[in-house]
């Protein structure tokens, strides 16, 4: 089938929830993908920070192949070898003691929010409020949506779940004002992804942890996007010297296979007992086998070092563009999640379309922040190739603005 064939079928039969680009990607390898008409693209989107090891990494493919021939699904009525193995890996490499597995980021956040309420219910405490941040993104299910501090996602779905309140991100004084003895949990992304690659000041998360501790509230880090090596450490919180009580993971956890996970300390996790929460597909053999392959590859194959080194290289190059073009307002991020904020009047969406036509996939959040989230195995050479496509597009967008 060609791009046109696939687009025609999608338009006719698939729910119209995405404004899609007019290409169908049918194959991928490393940092490259190909569309149905055979055109090649350099991929700096990585399935939205999912394919952190690149497309079809040989170790992920081998793990999936092997597990698919052995056992794909069995149910959590029984013990699952790969599920226990992935839980061991995640807890040995984080603050957490226990893992609940599910299938997406939103589901992981639902589990975290339910666990927070259950934790205080078990203690007979009247603590129901969830504090989250403005410009946050936590997913599209009802509780995750209520926690998402952006009106554009909530609009049309009211009434929202009760007792969700918001504070501005990276504002510790505001957090002190809203977090009190009615707060069950504070949910925050260590770096906001969908909100525009917003990086907190170095002490913010540490201070937020203190605020929670003082009020007796739990702290949840949503690392669905910035976990799994994205910032150059396995988990983003490692950069900020503050561990949460609960952490959620999904996107990069299983090399592209759908998975979600909620990690917690023993003290908090003990509020989940048989019957309190569940997921049919959660922790299934196929997804967790892919997860084990992804985590071990990330830890053992120099992926984190590559992310740090190439991330710094890309950040330097983007800052050089900022010095050159006045319409680039700011470059920010950590490791290989970097954002370039454009001045008013420069249309990020148009830049993304131009790049696509020239064989480069990049992404833009909120039409004004270009987001760079390549695979963590990307090379300096590929960064140069990306910039070779991006810079002429940027400079002509700047010229168009001048002409008005
Ligand atoms: C993508 C994302 C989610 C939602 O994940 P889904 O798998 O789409 O449900 C939640 N939190 C953050 C920070 C995300 O980036």
């Amino acid at each position: 089938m060609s791009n046109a064939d696939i687009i025609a079928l999608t338009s006719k039969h698939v729910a119209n929830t995405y404004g899609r680009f007019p290409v169908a990607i049918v194959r991928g390898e490393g940092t490259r993908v190909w569309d149905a008409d055979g055109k090649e693209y350099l991929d700096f989107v990585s399935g939205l920070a999912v394919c952190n090891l690149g497309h079809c990494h040989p170790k992920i493919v081998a793990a999936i192949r092997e597990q698919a021939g052995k056992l794909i699904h069995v149910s959590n009525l029984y013990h699952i070898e790969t599920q226990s193995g992935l839980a061991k890996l995640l807890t040995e490499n984080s603050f957490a003691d226990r893992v609940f597995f599910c299938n997406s980021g939103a589901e992981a956040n639902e589990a975290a929010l339910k666990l927070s309420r259950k934790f205080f219910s078990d203690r007979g405490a009247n603590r129901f409020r969830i504090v989250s941040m403005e410009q946050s993104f936590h997913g599209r299910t009802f509780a995750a949506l209520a926690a998402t501090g952006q009106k554009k996602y909530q609009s049309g779905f009211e009434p929202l779940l009760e007792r969700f309140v918001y504070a501005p991100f990276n504002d510790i004084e505001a957090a002190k004002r809203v977090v009190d003895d009615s707060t069950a949990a504070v949910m925050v992304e260590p770096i906001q992804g969908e909100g525009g690659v917003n990086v907190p000041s170095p002490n913010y998360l540490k201070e937020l942890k203190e605020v929670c501790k003082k009020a007796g509230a739990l702290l949840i880090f949503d690392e669905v996007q910035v976990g799994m090596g994205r910032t150059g450490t396995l988990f983003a919180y490692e950069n900020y010297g503050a561990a949460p009580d609960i952490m959620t993971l999904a996107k990069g956890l299983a090399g592209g296979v759908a998975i979600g996970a909620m990690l917690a300390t023993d003290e908090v996790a003990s509020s989940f007992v048989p019957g309190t929460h569940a997921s049919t597909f959660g922790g299934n053999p196929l997804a967790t086998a892919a997860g084990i392959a992804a985590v071990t590859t990330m830890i053992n194959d120099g992926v984190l070092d590559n992310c740090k080194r190439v991330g710094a290289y890309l950040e330097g190059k983007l800052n050089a563009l900022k010095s050159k073009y006045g319409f680039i307002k700011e470059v920010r991020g950590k490791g290989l999640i970097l954002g370039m904020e454009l001045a008013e009047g420069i249309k990020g969406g148009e830049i993304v379309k131009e790049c696509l036509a020239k064989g480069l996939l990049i992404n833009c959040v909120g039409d004004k922040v270009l987001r760079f989230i390549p695979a963590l195995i990307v090379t300096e050479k590929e960064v140069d190739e990306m910039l070779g496509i991006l810079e002429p597009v940027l400079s002509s967008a700047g010229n168009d603005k001048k002409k008005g």
Side-chain angles (χ1 to χ4, degrees):
M1 285 202 285
S2 67
N3 279 334
D5 296 333
I6 298 167
I7 291 164
L9 282 179
T10 304
S11 312
K12 188 153 183 237
H13 301 292
V14 178
N16 190 27
T17 51
Y18 294 95
R20 298 175 197 260
F21 296 104
V23 293
I25 305 296
V26 294
R27 189 163 70 83
E29 193 184 322
T31 55
R32 313 265 158 185
V33 293
W34 288 264
D35 73 16
D37 296 347
K39 181 173 168 179
E40 181 180 315
Y41 303 84
L42 178 60
D43 184 5
F44 268 62
V45 178
S46 312
L48 285 175
V50 167
C51 304
N52 284 8
L53 298 171
H55 295 279
C56 299
H57 189 288
K59 289 191 178 166
I60 302 288
V61 173
I64 293 171
R65 284 214 168 104
E66 194 195 329
Q67 189 60 45
K70 219 161 44 182
L71 184 69
I72 294 174
H73 179 79
V74 62
S75 156
N76 288 303
L77 291 172
Y78 313 99
H79 290 267
I80 297 170
E81 184 180 6
T82 48
Q83 181 182 123
S84 59
L86 181 56
K88 177 170 186 276
L89 262 177
L90 290 174
T91 52
E92 280 177 355
N93 287 287
S94 73
F95 73 94
D97 303 306
R98 281 180 192 275
V99 187
F100 171 81
F101 287 104
C102 49
N103 314 285
S104 69
E107 266 184 79
N109 286 334
E110 293 286 327
L113 295 168
K114 283 183 73 179
L115 178 61
S116 304
R117 289 228 175 130
K118 183 71 166 45
F119 178 83
F120 289 108
S121 162
D122 287 351
R123 284 156 182 76
N126 281 323
R127 301 179 75 119
F128 309 108
R129 287 170 87 194
I130 305 294
V131 173
S132 62
M133 304 303 154
E134 292 168 7
Q135 296 307 116
S136 61
F137 184 82
H138 298 297
R140 307 292 195 138
T141 55
F142 266 109
L145 182 67
T148 292
Q150 298 193 62
K151 278 275 170 273
K152 67 175 178 186
Y153 294 113
Q154 298 174 335
S155 163
F157 298 105
E158 300 90 349
L160 298 172
L161 225 57
E162 281 179 51
R163 309 202 194 185
F164 282 71
V165 294
Y166 313 98
F169 181 64
N170 198 26
D171 181 342
I172 199 66
E173 293 308 317
K176 282 180 191 160
R177 286 194 293 275
V178 294
V179 178
D180 60 21
D181 62 5
S182 70
T183 307
V186 174
M187 177 176 258
V188 63
E189 299 156 83
I191 294 173
Q192 290 188 329
E194 302 306 304
V197 191
N198 302 319
V199 182
S201 44
N203 288 326
Y204 174 66
L205 294 171
K206 231 191 290 185
E207 288 168 1
L208 193 59
K209 189 182 165 96
E210 277 311 305
V211 170
C212 288
K213 223 180 191 167
K214 230 171 160 179
L218 299 175
L219 179 61
I220 305 168
F221 283 169
D222 177 345
E223 295 220 11
V224 168
Q225 182 161 158
V226 295
M228 303 323 298
R230 187 50 58 191
T231 65
T233 49
L234 192 56
F235 304 110
Y237 75 81
E238 297 169 44
N239 296 299
Y240 295 104
D245 302 291
I246 302 174
M247 173 171 74
T248 55
L249 300 172
K251 292 190 164 93
L253 178 51
V257 178
I259 192 169
M262 182 209 63
L263 288 70
T265 59
D266 257 331
E267 188 197 1
V268 175
S270 63
S271 282
F272 271 178
V273 295
T276 45
H277 196 53
S279 164
T280 297
F281 287 117
N284 68 77
L286 193 70
T288 47
I292 289 173
V295 177
T296 47
T297 303
M298 203 162 276
I299 293 172
N300 299 332
D301 291 12
V303 176
L304 300 174
D305 285 342
N306 190 77
C307 173
K308 274 187 213 136
R309 195 188 70 247
V310 182
Y313 180 76
L314 174 56
E315 191 176 354
K317 293 278 175 174
L318 295 178
N319 273 312
L321 289 178
K322 177 176 172 270
S323 320
K324 200 161 156 189
Y325 300 105
F327 58 83
I328 298 172
K329 281 174 73 174
E330 194 182 20
V331 171
R332 55 187 184 244
K334 201 167 202 74
L336 282 169
I337 175 163
L338 293 165
M340 173 188 271
E341 186 172 339
L342 305 167
E344 215 60 52
I346 303 281
K347 292 203 162 44
E350 292 302 315
I351 291 170
V352 170
K353 271 189 211 160
E354 271 299 301
C355 288
L356 179 83
K358 296 188 149 94
L360 170 66
L361 305 186
I362 55 164
N363 169 254
C364 182
V365 280
D367 208 38
K368 63 165 198 175
V369 180
L370 294 179
R371 180 172 47 169
F372 302 85
I373 39 178
L376 311 182
I377 55 156
V378 72
T379 62
E380 282 93 344
K381 197 160 162 265
E382 288 164 331
V383 165
D384 290 340
E385 184 186 342
M386 182 277 289
L387 294 165
I389 299 173
L390 178 69
E391 184 172 357
V393 174
L394 271 180
S395 109
S396 90
N399 285 336
D400 288 350
K401 192 199 170 201
K402 272 184 220 139
K403 283 184 216 131

